[in-house]
Amino acid sequence: MKMKINLLSLCCFMLIAGSSCGQKSNDKKQEVTQNKAMVNQSNEGLSLATFGSGCFWCTEAVFLNVDGVVKVASGYSGGKVKNPTYKEVCSGLTGHAEVIQVTYDATKVSYDELLEIFWGTHDPTTLNKQGADEGTQYRSVVFYHNDEQKQLAEGYKKKLDESGAFSDPIVTEISPLTTFYVAEDYHQNYYNLNGSAPYCKFVIQPKLEKFKKVFKEKLKKS
């Protein structure tokens, strides 16, 4: 697969990544469901991608608007504890990152294009930090599902560094996906279900609007 980098979009990343996730508002919902490890294979004809770029509420909202994306699930990967809870992951002691798992139609959107959106919608140069969110759970990470994804991610990262698209070196982790745990129910489709909440209005919505301007050619058709 030929690698293609849209530097114009990536040079605009500060418009989007500049919106800090900040301190998440207290969620009044007390529902907690036990997480289940997901089989890391997609349905026939569809592919999977797993990314971590800070707050998964924000990242989920972005990728749900990408043409060719069928489903986005928020969850946890990269840690050492089975079935971690949100509270445990937020402690930073489980080793997990907040991630999204994207189910997509590769005939409509390529993995390269997903990487472009991933690197263009957060700051991949800050170690274990996105805006006011700090800790290993907020690290920038690509969890690859196969050797092709590994090669594409590593190649894309190298070309970005060589291009000077970012003033500082990219610190994004590129690791094999072992287990993806789906987050609690109230984290799923968070922005669409809680759009009037202050966090959604003042943090996610501005970031989403900027994403739609920069990547308008990749949006789902209404």
Side-chain angles (χ1 to χ4, degrees):
M1 184 180 296
K2 184 178 180 181
M3 184 176 298
K4 180 173 65 176
I5 298 178
N6 187 331
L7 289 180
L8 177 61
S9 295
L10 287 166
C11 286
C12 293
F13 89 99
M14 285 300 294
L15 294 173
I16 303 169
S19 298
S20 168
C21 286
Q23 296 299 317
K24 295 179 182 178
S25 58
N26 292 326
D27 198 314
K28 295 181 180 180
K29 298 182 180 180
Q30 297 300 313
E31 176 189 8
V32 176
T33 58
Q34 184 176 10
N35 302 334
K36 296 181 179 179
M38 298 294 292
V39 176
N40 297 318
Q41 294 180 346
S42 64
N43 295 326
E44 185 176 357
L46 298 176
S47 301
L48 291 176
T50 303
F51 304 121
S53 56
C55 167
F56 52 19
W57 293 345
C58 297
T59 313
E60 177 195 60
V62 166
F63 278 86
L64 279 173
N65 284 275
V66 176
D67 188 33
V69 169
V70 176
K71 178 183 177 182
V72 180
S74 292
Y76 317 115
S77 287
K80 56 183 180 293
V81 176
K82 292 184 178 179
N83 296 313
T85 65
Y86 181 61
K87 183 178 180 180
E88 289 172 335
V89 172
C90 285
S91 74
L93 300 177
T94 70
H96 291 88
E98 286 193 16
V99 300
I100 59 164
Q101 189 160 95
V102 180
T103 302
Y104 66 100
D105 183 346
T107 66
K108 294 183 178 180
V109 60
S110 68
Y111 189 69
D112 271 337
E113 290 175 307
L114 296 180
L115 288 173
E116 179 187 347
I117 294 168
F118 163 74
W119 267 305
T121 52
H122 78 292
D123 186 350
T125 68
T126 52
L127 184 63
N128 301 328
K129 186 179 188 301
Q130 284 299 309
D133 289 334
E134 296 189 51
T136 56
Q137 67 271 31
Y138 299 116
R139 64 189 183 272
S140 175
V141 56
V142 174
F143 287 112
Y144 58 84
H145 290 248
N146 52 50
D147 287 340
E148 181 183 20
Q149 288 189 357
K150 177 184 179 181
Q151 293 172 8
L152 288 172
E154 290 178 342
Y156 209 124
K157 178 181 176 180
K158 181 180 178 182
K159 285 185 177 293
L160 284 177
D161 269 330
E162 291 175 346
S163 73
F166 299 99
S167 57
D168 296 312
I170 295 172
V171 296
T172 302
E173 171 191 338
I174 300 176
S175 298
L177 181 69
T178 53
T179 306
F180 170 75
Y181 294 100
V182 180
E184 293 82 352
D185 289 347
Y186 63 85
H187 290 302
Q188 309 303 324
N189 201 25
Y190 191 87
Y191 174 74
N192 289 332
L193 295 178
N194 300 274
S196 61
Y199 180 81
C200 293
K201 292 176 65 176
F202 298 112
V203 178
I204 301 179
Q205 185 175 329
K207 181 172 183 175
L208 191 56
E209 290 174 351
K210 291 171 184 177
F211 158 73
K212 290 180 177 180
K213 290 180 181 179
V214 176
F215 291 97
K216 58 184 178 181
E217 75 282 359
K218 299 188 188 303
L219 299 177
K220 290 180 178 177
K221 308 300 186 292
S222 57

